[in-house]
Structure formats: structure tokens, C-alpha cells
Amino acid sequence: MTRRALPPLNGLRAFEAYARSGSMIAAAEALGVTHGAVSRQVRGLELQLGARLLTGPKHALVLSEAGRELAKALTPAFDLIAAALPGAGPSEELVVSCLGTLSMKWLIPRLPAFLDAHPGLRVRIQESHAPVDFSAGGLHAAIRVLSAKSASAYRAVTIMPLHHGPVLSPALLAETGADAERLLRLPRLRSETFRPAWDLWAQGQGVALPSGVTEREFEHNSYMLEAAAAGLGVAVTPWPFAQADIERGRLVAPFGFQALAERFVYLRPPYGDHPAAEAFGQWLAREGRRNARPPAAVVTLGAK
Amino acid sequence: MTRRALPPLNGLRAFEAYARSGSMIAAAEALGVTHGAVSRQVRGLELQLGARLLTGPKHALVLSEAGRELAKALTPAFDLIAAALPGAGPSEELVVSCLGTLSMKWLIPRLPAFLDAHPGLRVRIQESHAPVDFSAGGLHAAIRVLSAKSASAYRAVTIMPLHHGPVLSPALLAETGADAERLLRLPRLRSETFRPAWDLWAQGQGVALPSGVTEREFEHNSYMLEAAAAGLGVAVTPWPFAQADIERGRLVAPFGFQALAERFVYLRPPYGDHPAAEAFGQWLAREGRRNARPPAAVVTLGAK
DNA sequence: CGGCCATGTGAGCTTTCCGCACATGACCCG
DNA sequence: CGGGTCATGTGCGGAAAGCTCACATGGCCG
């Protein structure tokens, strides 16, 4: 086995991007990094090669002779690689069943990042709450909420824990004040898809919900959340459903969020080997890890 | 600027090595890493691509269809790059002046690693203790021992600090015992190239050297070290000179090593731009950092 | 001559990568 | 049929690479 001494490949990629675009900043954008990163990579490559690739004053850099030579080979080489990547042919479609609200509020907004990173892959999301049935075929994976025990019956990976808590519009909070008792007397919003949310939360917090409070029920979590954002009352919802709205300031969660025993899991048929489904699962778990931390409470229950 | 979505290049390199060698272990050796590293890289690439590259039971892995396609493109692509690297032409020679003992004991044993990483570069080492004179030409850089102040007159980078201390053969130590007073009465070995070594060390330790002790003087540090290894007495030497012998058990340093104000520095002419010389300096500094930590004392001075 | 634009750089943090040691699993051989 | 061996997979901890952010630099242009 001949031993080939190649310089750092990431440096080559950065240099090639620079050579094609003619500017650090443009290359940085093409690679999705900052200009400083490209600058370092190119510098590191020059050091490694022991040769100058760029010359001239730094506001008007120009490829050196050696740099031109190298770039002339790099571009076709990378093109060759890109053309040979699997998935260059007809794109494969991954079919995933997902809980409706999770899909709308969490998955779809993140999906472009996955698709960008996996060109030649398409993902079709089917919304469903029904128990997962892979036997019908045509479905490669599913996302559900399950307890650890139920999940163990499947080939499952945990995406993220399930934290839930009450959310409302900032305006309604301001009007009511940061007072736990008053907040719990605001109209309660429920979703048909998960009626016990409020009771489960109250039980977990060890508080009793005052009775005689207006309740409104919605067909879906997403309607309920819209209503909450519109200031109609307080909804108890999983953190991933509210995360984007909270970060944008459309909703606030004065009591923070509480962990439930269930988790969001990614399920696959117990048989078969589907690399794209596997990659999607890994990516989901990663995204889940990056976003699993809900904000803490700012209003204490039981405090006056 | 078109945006090309390439998978992790290090994964591609690992996969190509695997495809060429037909085995994880062979590929690992070709890349200078362990088989586990290759295994992970290939696995990561499969995940990223969302496609199987290898199939079959793990004791008889075989390239999949997609894997063959990819490998077929990767090998020429990497060859193309390798051929276009600067330095493919006539190899450049870097001329470096170095202190004799440092060269023999420290630099030369490490040099192959640098040359491996920089094919198309040759390094000629000239041994010299004389003050550095770049004006004569033909010299690209030099390695010397200087104080921070003197070094600031040059274009200099620090390679490593200068620690020195007494060393002797393990046999002689065993015979004498771990007793500071008795050890300091053993014959003292000196080198003409640095006569004040013993006095400087004693002063730094705050001890007085017993008088009336046999002394032997040698023309060079390396003769002195050989004598020490042969059990003729105790030599005070910089850590880098003794490092290899200590690690191999030929020498021991019961008192550890003591820092001096001088350092090993890499000097370059103040003018001119020599990427290979720059790369060599960076590599030296790096090697220096990896080896700068001398062992601690095991015999305390002043203790009975 | 002051502001602007492109690139270089120091500090600190995150991610990737690797080595090590061990696990796994399949084959072989007696 | 059980132990040995060979090739590959994997959890863990630590090292290196890579990145961002913020600021420095240095030349151009108005």
C-alpha cells in the first residue's frame, strides 16, 4: 500500500473555495464559516506545504504561481468527488411519520439544515398520532412520545426528554402580574389531543388547581398555542412546541417547565437496514440535545 | 459562487485508503492511525452520505455498489491533488545551523517525522556553536540557546525552555544510594562547551558543592553524556540532551531539572520570506512544547 | 486625513478526532 | 465442540483542530 502524504484536506477545501471566489469573505460564505476560519485554514495549508499560495498586500491578495497550479488541480478533483457521491442519481425519499404539532413547531423549521447537509435526500413528513405500524410498508421511521418502557419494544433512540409547562402571552402576563395564584385563575386552554396536561402538571408541581376557572378546548395543540399567543389564556404545552414562540417573545413560561417520564423517540422497524433513516435519527438526536434545555421558572409556586 | 456540499473530507480519505488496501488495518497503517480511527471515519461518512459503502459480515467486508463508485472517483481525485502539490518539482533544501549536542540528541531523532510530513523538502543540519551570521548567505535558520533579551534582536521563536540538572547511570545511583550528600561527592563530569554548568546548578539550588571531588572534563557534551551513562560520574546537562537516555533507562536524574533564564530558540534572518523555514520553526516549537516537561526530583537536597 | 473594506490574529470555546482497551463475532484447528 | 485467533466495532477520556467573536492592521478612497 503506497503511502500518500496529503496535506490537511480541510485546508485544501478552504483554499479551493478562495481560489474560486477570489475573496476570503466570499469563500467563507460558500463554506458556511467566518472569514477568519478561511484565513487560518489557508495559512495552515501554506505552512504545511512550506510554500506561499497567496501573495501581495493583504487588501489585494493574488494567487502565487504555486497557488495557481494547485487550484487548477483542486477544482476538478473536488468536482470529480462531488459527482461520484452516492445520491447523485435519483434522489431517495425518506418517509417519516411525526406528531402533528411537533412537526409544525419543531421539525419543519429545522429540516432545511438536514436537507442541506444531505443533498440527494428527500424527506416526506406524514402527520399522525396513531400507534406506529410499520407492517403496512412505505414508512421508514416515526417520531412519537413514549415512556422508556414502551419504547424498548421498538428499535428506538431518544430524541429529547419531554418537559411541559404553562405558557401565555407576554401581554397577558404583564396585565396579570407575576403572581402564581392570579396566574392560575386565568382561563385554561386545553387540547383534545392531550386533555390531562393541566392535571398532570399541577400534580407534578404539587399544587391544586383552583376550580371554577374558564376552560377552552381546541382540536389541536397548535390552535391552542395560537390562542395562548393571542392572550386568550394559559396553555400547558411541551417545551419543544413552544420553544420558537418563546424565543421570539410571542409566549412566556413564568413557571418554567417540568420533566415528564415520557420522551420524544425516533422509531424504526426492527428489521432492515436503511442508512438514510439511521442518519436522520442521529441528526434528530443531535438536534434534540442542542435544544433540550427549557428555561427556568421566574415565578415560584406557593410564593405570594 | 456555487456552493458545493462535500462530505467530511477526512472521512473520504479514510474510505479511499480502505478501498485501496482492502482492510481497515492496512488503511490505518497507511494513514498512520489506529484501525479504530478508520472504522469511525468510514462509519461517519456512511452516516453523512446516508448510504452504505461497505457490506457483508464484519470479518469479510466488501465495498457496496455505491462504495465502488465512490472509490473509483476518489483515487484519481486524490492522485490529482497529490500531483499538483508544490514541491512536486525539484526538492528544496533548507539549511539550518544547530548546536551539536542538541542536533545529535534531540533534533536528528525527530527529523524523520518532519520530513515525512513535508515530502519534497530536504533539511541539512550544520553543527555549530558560533554566533549566528546570516550575512554570509546559504543559511536559512539557526537553533541556539539565548536569553530572552538577546533573542529579541533576531527574528526568533522559542522552541523550549532550558532546564538542566545532574544525571548519572542507574547503576551508579544504585551503588551510591538516594543520598544527596553522597551523590554530590561523586566525580563531576564537565564539558568544555559549558564549563559553568555545575556552579550554575548549585547556585540555583542554593547548595554548596563539596570541594575535593574528582572532576573530568570532556570536549563535547555528548562525550560527557556517554561517560555519565558508563557510570564514570555525574554530569549536569540540559534536559533535551538527556531525555532520550533517561526514557530508555540509560541515565537517571535524581535531582530533577532546574529552569535557566535562557531558552532554545529558532532564529531566522530578519529579512526575507521563506515558507519552508517558517514551517520548520512552527514544527520545532510544537515538538518543543510536547517535550518540555522534565521529570521531577526524587532526591531532595538538604534532606539527609 | 478620517472612514471604510478586506484580511490577520489572540482568546476561549466547541467539535472532531484519536488512542486505548475491551467487546464482538466469525472462522479455524485440533 | 471449545479455545484461540483475526478483523472490526465501540465507550471513554484526553488531545488537537476548527470555529466564532472581537479587535487589530494596513491600504484605499473620498
Side-chain angles (χ1 to χ4, degrees), chain A residues 166-259:
Chain A
V167 299
L168 69 167
S169 76
L172 183 56
L173 176 64
E175 187 184 307
T176 311
D179 179 309
E181 289 195 16
R182 295 189 59 193
L183 285 169
L184 293 182
R185 277 186 228 282
L186 290 172
R188 286 184 208 129
L189 312 182
R190 297 187 186 271
S191 161
E192 287 182 15
T193 54
F194 192 53
R195 289 210 174 83
W198 265 107
D199 295 330
L200 214 58
W201 178 81
Q203 178 189 329
Q205 297 294 120
V207 298
L209 293 177
S211 56
V213 168
T214 314
E215 301 210 341
R216 289 187 228 268
E217 186 161 293
F218 298 85
E219 201 176 334
H220 296 300
N221 270 295
S222 47
Y223 298 161
M224 174 183 75
L225 287 168
E226 281 309 307
L232 268 65
V234 186
V236 169
T237 183
W239 154 243
F241 296 0
Q243 180 184 2
D245 286 330
I246 287 176
E247 285 168 359
R248 279 184 215 129
R250 293 184 71 212
L251 288 175
V252 290
F255 300 110
F257 291 83
Q258 173 199 108

Side-chain angles (χ1 to χ4, degrees), chain B residues 62 70 72 85 114 119 123 135 185 191 197 199 211 247 298:
Chain B
V62 159
L70 182 57
K72 213 166 63 185
L85 293 176
F114 177 78
V123 178
S135 66
R185 277 187 227 282
S191 162
D199 297 330
S211 55
E247 285 168 359
V298 295

Side-chain angles (χ1 to χ4, degrees), chain B residues 135-180:
Chain B
S135 66
L139 187 63
H140 299 125
I143 300 172
R144 289 290 184 278
V145 166
L146 289 180
S147 69
K149 203 177 298 176
S150 335
S152 66
Y154 295 82
R155 176 158 60 160
V157 298
T158 296
I159 299 174
M160 54 189 161
L162 171 49
H163 295 265
H164 79 345
V167 298
L168 68 165
S169 75
L172 184 56
L173 175 64
E175 183 183 313
T176 311
D179 178 312

Side-chain angles (χ1 to χ4, degrees), chain B:
Chain B
M1 175 85 187
T2 23
R3 185 155 168 177
R4 195 156 37 192
L6 285 173
L9 297 177
N10 293 328
L12 291 175
R13 168 163 51 191
F15 173 68
E16 196 263 351
Y18 173 83
R20 286 207 303 163
S21 69
S23 129
M24 292 273 168
I25 293 182
E29 193 186 354
L31 296 172
V33 295
T34 58
H35 73 92
V38 177
S39 172
R40 286 168 204 277
Q41 289 280 348
V42 173
R43 180 107 187 73
L45 182 61
E46 286 187 321
L47 260 177
Q48 167 68 28
L49 293 174
R52 280 220 149 282
L53 299 174
L54 273 47
T55 57
K58 74 176 159 189
H59 65 292
L61 286 173
V62 159
L63 292 183
S64 73
E65 179 54 33
R68 270 195 304 278
E69 277 305 308
L70 182 57
K72 213 166 63 185
L74 284 179
T75 298
F78 285 141
D79 285 342
L80 189 59
I81 294 173
L85 293 176
S91 64
E92 193 181 356
E93 185 169 72
L94 188 63
V95 182
V96 181
S97 165
C98 183
L99 302 174
T101 310
L102 183 67
S103 150
M104 183 178 321
K105 293 285 182 180
W106 192 87
L107 181 53
I108 305 244
R110 286 157 216 268
L111 206 46
F114 177 78
L115 295 175
D116 271 2
H118 295 77
L121 209 61
R122 284 176 301 142
V123 178
R124 178 197 301 266
I125 306 293
Q126 295 179 344
E127 306 198 346
S128 163
H129 283 78
V132 181
D133 178 16
F134 289 118
S135 66
L139 187 63
H140 299 125
I143 300 172
R144 289 290 184 278
V145 166
L146 289 180
S147 69
K149 203 177 298 176
S150 335
S152 66
Y154 295 82
R155 176 158 60 160
V157 298
T158 296
I159 299 174
M160 54 189 161
L162 171 49
H163 295 265
H164 79 345
V167 298
L168 68 165
S169 75
L172 184 56
L173 175 64
E175 183 183 313
T176 311
D179 178 312
E181 288 195 16
R182 296 188 60 193
L183 285 169
L184 292 182
R185 277 187 227 282
L186 291 172
R188 285 183 209 130
L189 312 182
R190 295 187 187 272
S191 162
E192 288 183 14
T193 53
F194 193 51
R195 288 211 176 78
W198 266 107
D199 297 330
L200 214 60
W201 178 80
Q203 178 188 329
Q205 298 293 121
V207 298
L209 292 176
S211 55
V213 167
T214 313
E215 302 212 340
R216 290 189 228 265
E217 186 161 293
F218 299 84
E219 203 176 334
H220 295 301
N221 270 296
S222 46
Y223 298 161
M224 175 183 75
L225 289 168
E226 281 310 307
L232 268 67
V234 186
V236 168
T237 183
W239 154 244
F241 296 0
Q243 180 184 2
D245 285 329
I246 287 177
E247 285 168 359
R248 279 184 216 129
R250 293 186 70 213
L251 290 175
V252 290
F255 299 110
F257 291 83
Q258 172 199 108
L260 295 180
E262 288 82 12
R263 326 101 185 279
F264 291 95
V265 293
Y266 180 69
L267 305 172
R268 289 174 56 203
Y271 48 84
D273 180 38
H274 195 305
E278 174 74 19
F280 190 59
Q282 298 259 56
W283 176 79
L284 285 172
R286 189 184 174 69
E287 283 300 308
R289 238 173 287 126
R290 288 159 42 92
N291 296 284
R293 192 142 314 279
V298 295
V299 172
T300 313
L301 277 165
K304 185 51 196 257

Side-chain angles (χ1 to χ4, degrees), chain A residues 110-124:
Chain A
R110 286 156 217 267
L111 207 47
F114 177 78
L115 295 175
D116 272 1
H118 296 76
L121 209 63
R122 285 175 301 141
V123 178
R124 178 198 301 266

